[in-house]
Amino acid sequence: MKRREFLAGALALGACSPVPSSRAQESVSSEGLAAHARRSGRYFGAAIKSRQLREDPDFTAAIARECDMVVQEYELKRGTTEPKPGKYDFSGADQIIAFAQKHRMKARGHALVWYAAQPPWLGPALKLANSGGREKLMTSYIDVAMPRYAGKISEWDVVNEAIEPNDGRANGMRANSMWMQALGEDYIDIAFHHARQTDPRATLFLTDFGLEHDSPRCERRRTAMLKLLDRLMARKVPVDAVGIQGHLKPYKEKFNQDLFARFLDDLRGYGLALSVTEFDIADKGGPPNPGKRDNEVAAVAKAFLDVALDNRAMRSILCWGLSDRYSWLSNFPDYKWADGQLSRGLPLDGQMRRKPLWDAIAAAFDAARPIGRSRA
Ligand code: G3I
């Protein structure tokens, strides 16, 4: 595959293979993206909220048609599930997992140990505890969440977003993390070993963002991730896979296929499985004309996914949402449109219609060399 560079802003549209329109093929196949993924031995999925399943039948039908994998957008985060010490509310996650079971979908668990979205009581409790108590405060959530979904959640984001070079550490680790402050970098070792003991069948992920673009920001993050993996592998920490979140921002940073391909090869070199776990595209800064913007978004998505799916360790692609109707991008200060229009960074528009981005994802799966489909 000849690889190219996409310049931030004026995307080099001519530099990529045209994305066939699904609308021309609508009569041929209303197959969802999961069918395209399955033919390449992979999975396609999306992040969802239980409220969407309860209240939006059109969206729910689209998830059932397009996905064979789901992940909770926020309802397995400890701030939602353990609002008071030892008092749990898994009702949202239970509904999502019941939906996945009903539709014979795989499910991810997001996230066991993260610096964010923690309940307010946890930080103070960590400060008061001794070393053993601090470890228990972290692993107690693993002890409750993993067994609850054993056999239903096949892979977990055990540690999410451990990297943050802007925090000033030489090794690029996230210093402003309650876990790093409570236990040092060993929090990662403890979390993965505990998760392995708790559910030996689960695939254990280390996930992070800002690993995708050709920019100083992302280069620092990739370097920190590779150095972290060197240390974790040397300490025989049971990391099975790396999740590349895949939140692209093509109107702010360049994308270079060769550079990203080399990084994925480096990750595969550790013997790790790979997944894109939160794929979406921030279109703020793109052309005001939605149609033109859609085509540019599709072009960079195809360029990104062609590289991702060219790596035989890449097992699945999940979007962070399926429809622009519910994208976090439309509400996040850095990415939302000042005029209130929806971000158009997901495969379906606000009316559940397929967009060129849908075509790009389907075409990337269709062009990918098939791999043996993982059962786990
Ligand atoms: O549903 C409750 C509602 O009942 C309550 O009234 C309201 C006010 O407190 O909160 C609502 O929950 C919000 C939830 O989104 C559902 O909308 C939480 O406050 C809010 O913090 C949560 O934000 C999520 C955020 O992670 C923090 O957990 C976003 O939906 C979610 O898209 C975002 O996802 C993150 C990934 O986990 C990690 N990678 C980056 C990604 C985007 O930031």
Side-chain angles (χ1 to χ4, degrees):
M1 177 182 74
K2 179 157 174 33
R3 293 182 175 133
R4 298 170 178 82
E5 176 176 85
F6 282 74
L7 307 176
L11 285 166
L13 279 182
C16 77
S17 46
V19 176
S21 157
S22 68
R23 275 157 300 295
Q25 302 160 337
E26 202 74 58
S27 56
V28 173
S29 152
S30 60
E31 277 185 326
L33 290 171
H36 292 269
R38 192 176 308 119
R39 282 195 288 274
S40 84
R42 297 172 171 94
Y43 295 86
F44 173 79
I48 58 178
K49 299 173 180 171
S50 66
R51 182 174 183 177
Q52 296 159 347
L53 301 178
R54 292 192 302 274
E55 301 180 359
D56 190 337
D58 291 347
F59 176 81
T60 303
I63 291 284
R65 182 184 68 243
E66 302 286 353
C67 299
D68 56 5
M69 198 168 194
V70 291
V71 62
Q72 318 77 22
E73 185 164 355
Y74 75 103
E75 287 165 290
L76 253 184
K77 293 168 184 173
R78 201 171 179 178
T80 300
T81 57
E82 194 180 0
K84 296 270 186 289
K87 299 275 179 269
Y88 296 100
D89 174 8
F90 287 103
S91 57
D94 286 352
Q95 289 172 47
I96 291 169
I97 296 303
F99 174 85
Q101 292 279 295
K102 176 183 172 190
H103 293 275
R104 302 169 62 81
M105 293 178 176
K106 281 169 73 84
R108 309 196 77 249
H110 175 80
L112 292 172
V113 177
W114 189 24
Y115 77 94
Q118 297 296 333
W121 59 267
L122 186 53
L126 279 169
K127 287 191 168 60
L128 290 174
N130 62 23
S131 169
R134 293 196 293 270
E135 184 171 324
K136 185 65 184 163
L137 279 166
M138 181 175 77
T139 58
S140 61
Y141 188 53
I142 297 172
D143 290 338
V144 175
M146 286 191 99
R148 186 181 186 91
Y149 301 108
K152 297 175 181 175
I153 289 182
S154 57
E155 56 186 67
W156 285 89
D157 290 342
V158 176
V159 172
N160 186 42
E161 301 180 8
I163 305 289
E164 187 40 82
N166 293 336
D167 282 358
R169 289 208 171 175
N171 61 10
M173 293 301 288
R174 185 178 295 275
N176 296 323
S177 154
M178 62 171 67
W179 305 116
M180 179 67 86
Q181 289 160 5
L183 296 163
E185 186 176 292
D186 277 355
Y187 85 89
I188 302 175
D189 306 44
I190 295 162
F192 275 93
H193 281 297
H194 204 85
R196 175 68 89 228
Q197 289 160 14
T198 306
D199 184 352
R201 291 181 301 170
T203 301
L204 307 182
F205 272 74
L206 176 69
T207 49
D208 224 311
F209 66 90
L211 302 169
E212 302 87 2
H213 283 286
D214 178 7
S215 66
R217 174 185 74 99
C218 288
E219 191 54 33
R220 283 195 300 273
R221 299 184 67 83
R222 282 189 291 271
T223 301
M225 174 60 85
L226 294 175
K227 283 181 182 171
L228 171 60
L229 286 168
D230 286 342
R231 299 194 299 275
L232 296 178
M233 294 298 117
R235 300 196 299 250
K236 302 204 183 320
V237 176
V239 181
D240 299 317
V242 166
I244 312 273
Q245 289 188 9
H247 294 297
L248 301 188
K249 36 179 92 179
Y251 296 104
K252 291 181 185 291
E253 297 179 326
K254 294 187 293 185
F255 176 69
N256 182 298
Q257 290 184 308
D258 282 331
L259 185 149
F260 186 55
R262 282 196 299 274
F263 175 63
L264 296 185
D265 284 341
D266 288 342
L267 293 176
R268 186 181 175 204
Y270 293 100
L272 298 170
L274 302 176
S275 175
V276 174
T277 56
E278 305 184 14
F279 186 48
D280 55 22
I281 298 178
D283 65 348
K284 184 179 175 187
N289 175 292
K292 186 170 176 2
R293 196 158 80 236
D294 284 353
N295 287 330
E296 291 190 359
V297 161
V300 74
K302 182 75 167 51
F304 174 83
L305 292 174
D306 280 349
V307 169
L309 295 170
D310 193 39
N311 189 300
R312 300 185 65 71
M314 189 64 69
R315 302 185 350 178
S316 56
I317 305 290
L318 291 96
C319 285
W320 204 243
L322 181 66
S323 161
D324 298 334
R325 184 178 294 178
Y326 298 116
S327 174
W328 72 289
L329 295 167
S330 299
N331 302 304
F332 196 78
D334 291 0
Y335 306 126
K336 67 183 183 182
W337 285 83
D339 63 4
Q341 66 175 290
L342 291 179
S343 293
R344 298 178 65 86
L346 290 170
L348 305 184
D349 69 11
Q351 286 71 47
M352 301 302 138
R353 293 172 306 207
R354 292 168 172 174
K355 297 186 299 181
L357 176 52
W358 188 99
D359 303 328
I361 297 170
F365 278 123
D366 293 348
R369 286 177 298 156
I371 61 172
R373 203 168 197 229
S374 67
R375 287 273 167 269

